Amino acid sequence: MPPVTPDAPGEGTPRGTAAGKAGRWGSLARQALAGERESRGAPGSRATMCELYSKQDTLALRRKHIGPSCKVFFAADPIKIVRAQGQYMFDERGEQYLDCINNVAHVGHCHPEVVTAALKQMELLNTNSRFLHDNIVEYARRLSATLPETLSVCYFTNSGSEANDLALRLARQFRGHQDVITLDHAYHGHLSSLIEISPYKFRKGKDVKKEFVHVAPTPDTYRGKYREDHADPAGAYADEVKKIIEEAHNSGRKIAAFIAESMQSCGGQIIPPAGYFQKVAEYVHRAGGVFIADEVQVGFGRVGKHFWSFQMHGEDFVPDIVTMGKPMGNGHPMACVVTTKEIAEAFSSSGMEYFNTYGGNPVSSAIGLAVLNVIESEDLQGNATRVGDYLTELLNKQKAKHTLIGDIRGIGLFIGIDLVKDQQKRTPATDEAQHVIYKMKEKQVLLSADGPHRNVLKIKPPMCFTEEDAKFMVDQLDEILTVVEEAIGARSESVTSENTPCRTKAPDQLTRPLTTAHESIHMLTSLLLYTPSG
């Protein structure tokens, strides 16, 4: 992995369209931080300067004061991150990690143009968004220009959860309907209104599905109800939504909205088949509902060829409401709902004022404008296309090599690696996936696993990710998968050899060697998860 060192700006840093930024960022960041370090009397490294407590004390304080439901990455052996730059993060010891997780630091951690924009505006003014100010209208103008013409009215919020909650209010006010159709395994936010429509969450607790919520099958052509060998998977999945609408109407209920991520992230990096959204929108509109496209995780050029992920589905598909967040402020809390004038006017007709103290405040808007500028000036969409294609090519070669890889799917810098125990049966390799992400961490690559079975490795790094980064990540993954598969193979051969003399075993016993082999991974993962490494 190319190093980014505090003492040598850019030395060893990969170069290219978006790759050569990290070194320059480091230089600018050092200048900004030099005065602070001197005033605080901190020793040489920024990592030391940023650390208030030892890692053990930080963990102890977290256990004491932070809610136990608030989880951290790599809970068995969490990393203490004290600074970041570009696509790299650094722990309290100065160890460098390649960040393949953060779709929040969209244009790169601590991008100097974003930092400067925030600082300059903060020095001038930050105040209640109800005062007249140029930044909010300029940002709304710039943002709207990236969307289809009908999507022109903005409501600014502070998070994707707030945005999706507001989108539901807009949809329900539009025609006075109440019911919502969501996708299985979907996640749309942490507010109560969103947990109700997020099967990814509400099926993990004791909550039962509310009567006004209808769950459609995830349009997953790899492991779903209708797969890649189906004659028309898009039509088949869309017909499932049509059936839901008909059943709701037969029960006297009315559909307010269909909501879906343009590419489903928590559901396992699922890309709907071509034509699915168009057909769903047709059925939903016919029922008097609206289509909400959730771009909170996948917008702002991540797919490369388009600025918004829903645009992959063709010019003939335009949502009625688009929600966005995470990458919008490059880590600064900023989100938005964009809709049509017709829906906005219906919302206003209720007589209730929409008021958000911080949504679209001068500093947030300045940051948002800086992010848009960087995406354009550094051609990060082009970078997402080039690096994403290269990464997908490398991963497909790994798929041909490794039996644990069942599917590679994605576009741009949004890619999923579906790990399986059996390629024919497509049995999710959950324990193996958890083992892999911990082993990747040891090799200083940060990945996460998600999907309904927690077996899909998610790759959604900052958009300045380079081909060198992609090669490094894949090389580490290759090494780990090789070791895991060798362990499984050795265990299978050992158990098969032990059982060979017995010719009269029942069919279920004949499958035992492979199961036992994977159980060894389960045991290894259990040790890894509950016995933190040194």
Side-chain angles (χ1 to χ4, degrees), residues 222 403-404 406 420-429 514 518:
Y222 178 70
T403 58
L404 274 170
V420 297
K421 295 180 180 180
D422 184 304
Q423 288 187 339
Q424 297 303 313
K425 296 179 181 179
R426 305 184 179 184
T427 314
L514 183 59
H518 285 280

Side-chain angles (χ1 to χ4, degrees), residues 15 56-57 73 77-78 89 126 149 165 179 249 258 279 290 299 304 308 334 407 485 493 526:
R15 302 291 167 182
Q56 292 74 17
D57 288 344
F73 285 126
D77 184 24
M89 304 182 83
N126 197 30
E149 187 176 356
D165 177 76
D179 288 26
H249 285 176
F258 172 91
K279 292 180 180 180
V290 301
W308 302 105
M334 185 180 187
D407 190 35
E485 289 171 350
E493 290 174 12
S526 298

Side-chain angles (χ1 to χ4, degrees), residues 419-439:
L419 298 186
V420 297
K421 295 180 180 180
D422 184 304
Q423 288 187 339
Q424 297 303 313
K425 296 179 181 179
R426 305 184 179 184
T427 314
T430 301
D431 293 328
E432 291 80 356
Q434 299 307 309
H435 176 75
V436 167
I437 64 172
Y438 271 83
K439 285 298 182 182

Side-chain angles (χ1 to χ4, degrees), residues 466-480:
T466 68
E467 290 187 357
E468 290 86 348
D469 297 325
K471 180 68 165 57
F472 177 78
M473 188 214 78
V474 173
D475 285 346
Q476 309 317 303
L477 181 64
D478 180 22
E479 289 181 16
I480 292 168

Side-chain angles (χ1 to χ4, degrees), residues 167-168 171 177-182 255-259 284 289-292:
L168 291 181
H177 298 179
Q178 175 70 12
D179 288 26
V180 176
I181 302 173
T182 186
I255 303 299
F258 172 91
I259 183 170
V284 171
V290 301
F291 193 112
I292 302 172

Side-chain angles (χ1 to χ4, degrees), residues 146-181:
T146 68
L147 290 156
E149 187 176 356
T150 55
L151 294 167
S152 60
V153 182
C154 302
Y155 296 86
F156 291 101
T157 66
N158 307 294
S159 71
S161 290
E162 280 191 17
N164 280 331
D165 177 76
L166 178 57
L168 291 181
R169 289 177 58 192
L170 288 166
R172 285 170 168 156
Q173 176 63 30
F174 184 47
R175 299 196 191 281
H177 298 179
Q178 175 70 12
D179 288 26
V180 176
I181 302 173

Side-chain angles (χ1 to χ4, degrees), residues 251-270:
S251 300
R253 308 198 65 86
K254 296 181 179 180
I255 303 299
F258 172 91
I259 183 170
E261 289 182 277
S262 301
M263 299 189 295
Q264 202 171 7
S265 181
C266 291
Q269 309 295 86
I270 304 300

Side-chain angles (χ1 to χ4, degrees), residues 364-479:
S364 294
S365 297
I367 289 171
L369 285 165
V371 170
L372 292 179
N373 290 339
V374 172
I375 292 171
E376 182 177 352
S377 66
E378 297 185 6
D379 187 28
L380 293 184
Q381 277 187 252
N383 190 64
T385 297
R386 289 185 293 272
V387 177
D389 287 348
Y390 176 68
L391 177 54
T392 300
E393 179 185 344
L394 292 179
L395 290 173
N396 277 320
K397 290 179 181 177
Q398 293 300 311
K399 178 185 174 184
K401 177 180 179 181
H402 292 290
T403 58
L404 274 170
I405 298 179
D407 190 35
I408 303 295
R409 52 182 177 265
I411 184 168
L413 289 175
F414 180 89
I415 298 171
I417 307 171
D418 198 312
L419 298 186
V420 297
K421 295 180 180 180
D422 184 304
Q423 288 187 339
Q424 297 303 313
K425 296 179 181 179
R426 305 184 179 184
T427 314
T430 301
D431 293 328
E432 291 80 356
Q434 299 307 309
H435 176 75
V436 167
I437 64 172
Y438 271 83
K439 285 298 182 182
M440 288 291 279
K441 177 177 77 77
E442 290 178 11
K443 291 178 175 288
Q444 296 176 293
V445 178
L446 304 182
L447 281 175
S448 62
D450 219 325
H453 306 287
R454 313 291 292 185
N455 71 304
V456 180
L457 305 181
K458 299 202 303 185
I459 304 171
K460 45 188 182 65
M463 295 275 280
C464 52
F465 204 70
T466 68
E467 290 187 357
E468 290 86 348
D469 297 325
K471 180 68 165 57
F472 177 78
M473 188 214 78
V474 173
D475 285 346
Q476 309 317 303
L477 181 64
D478 180 22
E479 289 181 16

